[in-house]
Amino acid sequence: MGDCRPLGFLLGLPFALVALVLSFLGAVVWLLGSLLTCVCPCCCCCAGVANVAMELMTLPFKIITWFTGQIPC
């Protein structure tokens, strides 16, 4: 059979919506961290914050693929 997992998609959808909100928050943090890094390059921790924010922005995709992978067809 194919790779059909609609049940996993439906179960993971609420968690993906929460992760989507976190990704918007991550986008704001990334923007602020990038601006702070450009203004003051000696502040290395801002680059780390921007990297964590990038992980938050990819979180919805990771959650939905994890959920669909956990539920057998």
Side-chain angles (χ1 to χ4, degrees), residues 15-63:
F15 297 105
L17 291 175
V18 169
L20 185 65
V21 171
L22 286 176
S23 72
F24 286 129
L25 178 68
V28 171
V29 170
W30 175 76
L31 184 63
L32 290 175
S34 296
L35 288 174
L36 283 175
T37 303
C38 289
V39 171
C40 179
C42 61
C43 192
C44 295
C45 63
C46 293
V49 169
N51 289 337
V52 170
M54 286 298 290
E55 288 294 321
L56 278 176
M57 289 193 297
T58 60
L59 196 60
F61 180 72
K62 289 179 182 179
I63 286 179

